Structure formats: structure tokens, C-alpha cells
Amino acid sequence: MGLNRFRGDEQDNPGRGNWFEGQGVKILVDFAHNEHGMAALAQMVAAVPAKRRMLLMGQAGDRLDEDLRLMASAACQMHPDRVLTCALPGYERGRPQSDVQALIRAACLESGVQEGAVNDFDSPMDAVNWALDNARDGDLLVLITLTQRDQVLNAIREFIDS
């Protein structure tokens, strides 16, 4: 009975495969956090029509360099027009977040993302606010938010309601 009632939306499973749409913008919020999860997400997202694709991602500092590169490369299978890397305050885990962002940036560039199309942000919320402020009709925003989930979902609701 529980499975029959499960909707997979932000009430039943917040932050995992939550789709939103407003102002002509499609938004997907997920917390894919490794190569395999990102590849599965990319396969689904690549099938969604969009004029532009913006991808937000970050990662905790205790991940291996190679794991960060593989995750970012898998994410680039979404064919993003813009990548927003974000630091995860509180998840540095012994490494400066700028190092994590630099590894993600390098993997994205190696995967074909244009040099000027990667932006770094100090937190997921900073990146989400920028993405929402710059979203246009026909855009797809893929927000891989590993932290600040409640704030992200609130910002999306405000965007849709405005």
C-alpha cells in the first residue's frame, strides 16, 4: 500500500528526482553523488528537450580525485551549456573546496564544456539563485544539491510562484 501511495515528489522523497516547471523552465533536483548515479541521471536528462541546459554540482572534499573526475565526466553526458560548481560549506573534509571545484571544472572542460561556461560558487544556494536569476524560457536546470536541500526547494517554489 505504501508503494502505491509513493509519488517520488518532494514530499515523499525530497531532493531525489524532483521535477518542477514554471516560467517555461524545467527544473530537476537530485543528489546524485557518484559516477554511476550521475550517469543514470545523465541518460534520463539527455532525453529531455531544452534550449539550454544548466548543471549545478559540487562534492565533499574526501572524495578521490579520480572519483571526482569520473562523476563530472558522467554529468557532462547531459550536454550542459553551463556548469555551476559549488562549494559545500561544512563538507571540506580536509581539502579546500576550491580544489574540488577545480577538479570538477577540469573534467568538464575535458568533456567539451566551453571554458567560459563554467562558474564557481561558494554554496549551492549561491549557485541556485544565480541559475534561477538567469533562467530563460525553454531552459532545463539540473540542480545536484547535496546540501542546503530545504533552502533550494524553497527558492524553486518561490521562482515558480513568481
Side-chain angles (χ1 to χ4, degrees), residues 23-148:
Q23 300 188 43
V25 177
K26 293 178 183 136
I27 304 168
L28 172 63
V29 177
D30 199 273
F31 55 82
H33 60 280
N34 59 39
E35 174 192 7
H36 301 291
M38 202 66 81
L41 192 65
Q43 185 177 8
M44 177 186 62
V45 166
V48 177
K51 291 180 183 174
R52 293 185 316 164
R53 297 169 190 274
M54 270 193 256
L55 170 64
L56 179 156
M57 69 178 142
Q59 189 51 267
D62 60 351
R63 303 305 191 260
L64 297 174
D65 290 2
E66 183 64 10
D67 290 342
L68 291 168
R69 281 191 283 277
L70 291 170
M71 180 199 69
S73 296
C76 287
Q77 294 172 21
M78 294 179 210
H79 309 291
D81 297 290
R82 181 159 303 276
V83 175
L84 314 177
T85 75
C86 65
L88 302 179
Y91 288 81
E92 296 83 2
R93 298 181 179 162
R95 181 198 312 228
Q97 279 290 300
S98 58
D99 289 358
V100 173
Q101 289 173 279
L103 285 163
I104 291 171
R105 170 186 288 278
C108 290
L109 296 175
E110 289 170 13
S111 296
V113 175
Q114 298 298 310
E115 177 73 41
V118 182
N119 301 87
D120 298 328
F121 293 88
D122 292 333
S123 73
M125 273 312 302
D126 290 341
V128 166
N129 287 331
W130 189 92
L132 294 173
D133 287 346
N134 288 279
R136 299 191 305 234
D137 185 41
D139 282 355
L140 170 61
L141 310 182
V142 181
L143 308 176
I144 309 300
T145 54
L146 304 178
T147 63
Q148 300 182 329

Side-chain angles (χ1 to χ4, degrees), residues 6-19:
F6 185 79
R7 294 182 313 271
D9 60 15
E10 64 174 301
Q11 284 77 39
D12 284 347
N13 202 2
R16 179 59 97 181
N18 301 154
W19 283 97

